[in-house]
Each structure stands twice: as C-alpha cells, then as structure tokens.
Amino acid sequence: EIVLTQSPDFQSVTPKEKVTITCRASQSIGSSLHWYQQKPGQSPRLLIKYASQTISGVPSRFSGSGSGTDFTLTINGLEAEDAAAYYCHQSTSFPTFGGGTKVEIK
Amino acid sequence: GLLVESGGGVVQPGRSLTVSCVASEFTFKIYAMHWVRQAPGKGLEWVAAVSYDGTKDYYTESLKGRFTISRDNSKNTLYLQMNSLTVDDTAMYYCARDAALVPGWNSDFDIWGQGTFVTVSS
C-alpha cells in the first residue's frame, strides 16, 4: 500500500495569505496525485488532478505541483470560502488518501 | 453528473446492510465506480471499486471478504453490501465516479455523491 503523508495537519491562515500543503508518497507515483477540498458537512470536491492539471470551475488561486514522491497544493490569496479540509489521493496502485489538512481562517 | 446515495441507517453489530448509489446526467455504464468512507471526524478511506461493466472488483485489504461492490447498469445503480458489521464501520459512505476512460478504473474521482451515513450500534 502506498502511504500518503500530508503536512501540516492544521493551518490557521489570514485571508489573502498564501497557503502551502504538502503530500509525500511512500514510493514514487509519477504524477498520479489528485487534490480534493471538503467543506464542513459537504462531500469532497476535486480541485487538481494529476499533480498540476486544473479543473473547470475551480478558482485559479488553487494550483498543484510536484512529481515522484513530493507534491504541493498552493492557495494563492486565501479567501474565507476556502476554509476546509484538503486531501491528496494517489491512483498509481490501489487508491489511498492522505490524512488531510484542515485550513482555518484567522 | 449526479450521484445520490441511500440505504444508510442504524444497524446492530454483526448484521448486514446494503447501500445504493443512483447515477444520473451521465452515461453510467462507461465509468468505473468507487465507494469511499469517512468515519466521524476522520479522513477519507477508499473502500472498493468496480469496473465499468461490473466484471472486475477491487477492495481495500482490510475489508476484503466482508464487503461486496456491484452494479446494475440497466438501473444506473451502484451497490455496496456490507456484512458482519462492527462499530468501526460507522461512517459516511460516499460513491464516486472514476474519471478514467473505459476500460480503465483508477484515476481521479471527479463526481461525488452527498453520502449516506451508516451507524453500527447495539
């Protein structure tokens, strides 16, 4: 099983600030890494696919990078509506998810 | 595309339960489908997947033999049969569409349902 380790677990951020969330895979997964946003009481929503590919309807302040074992989700200019949990997910082998990062607005 | 789960509820430990997911607004029969669960206050856990035609199924190791995923393409419906339930199975169960082109099965999950909650309690 490929283990995904996200950091940090929790982040409290001021609006307009830049947010960086990392996801490290226990072995190389190429670019088969996807990011989801889950707001309280809602189901997850796909934000970024294959490490850096954008999704229609997702604000441009969300971007992804990385390959192999190290990946990053960046939110450039956090907005209040971005308060949520963020999860990475790999699809190289049987799917696994990272433990999640909760982003709180200060 | 839309996915709507149903069938959750309270079930006693050791009993069985089947949850369903009805798809609409897309061609269900050409997509692999998944179940993902989330225990209260916890992260996401992949449970199982089924190929577009239902001939292949895949499970997370810890649930293999106890959970069964299936689909009925004539009814645009995905199922998850859960046997010998324990309190650790208490969770929100989401169905999700795999974005892979047929006959693939393992890609990003581009559509999610709203979930159905299963409580295992005596």
Side-chain angles (χ1 to χ4, degrees), chain A residues 53-89:
Chain A
Q53 294 183 24
T54 56
I55 303 299
S56 175
V58 173
S60 59
R61 62 182 179 272
F62 291 93
S63 64
S65 64
S67 66
T69 60
D70 294 304
F71 301 86
T72 300
L73 174 70
T74 300
I75 310 174
N76 270 306
L78 186 79
E79 297 193 6
E81 65 182 30
D82 300 333
Y86 293 84
Y87 295 92
C88 56
H89 151 226

Side-chain angles (χ1 to χ4, degrees), chain A residues 24-103:
Chain A
R24 175 164 288 176
S26 58
Q27 63 190 74
S28 179
I29 58 172
S31 60
S32 297
L33 191 285
H34 320 292
W35 292 98
Y36 302 84
Q37 176 193 63
Q38 186 180 32
K39 295 183 180 181
Q42 296 185 16
S43 53
R45 168 199 184 194
L46 180 65
L47 283 182
I48 298 287
K49 64 179 182 179
Y50 291 100
S52 61
Q53 294 183 24
T54 56
I55 303 299
S56 175
V58 173
S60 59
R61 62 182 179 272
F62 291 93
S63 64
S65 64
S67 66
T69 60
D70 294 304
F71 301 86
T72 300
L73 174 70
T74 300
I75 310 174
N76 270 306
L78 186 79
E79 297 193 6
E81 65 182 30
D82 300 333
Y86 293 84
Y87 295 92
C88 56
H89 151 226
Q90 65 78 23
S91 60
T92 290
S93 64
F94 279 26
T96 51
F97 289 90
T101 295
K102 185 175 180 181
V103 174

Side-chain angles (χ1 to χ4, degrees), chain B residues 37-66:
Chain B
R37 71 181 182 179
Q38 185 171 36
K42 303 296 184 182
L44 301 172
E45 179 186 21
W46 176 73
V47 171
V50 63
S51 61
Y52 72 102
D53 58 359
T55 59
K56 298 184 179 67
D57 53 8
Y58 312 89
Y59 300 90
T60 193
E61 192 65 33
S62 62
L63 298 177
K64 199 181 296 186
R66 204 161 58 85

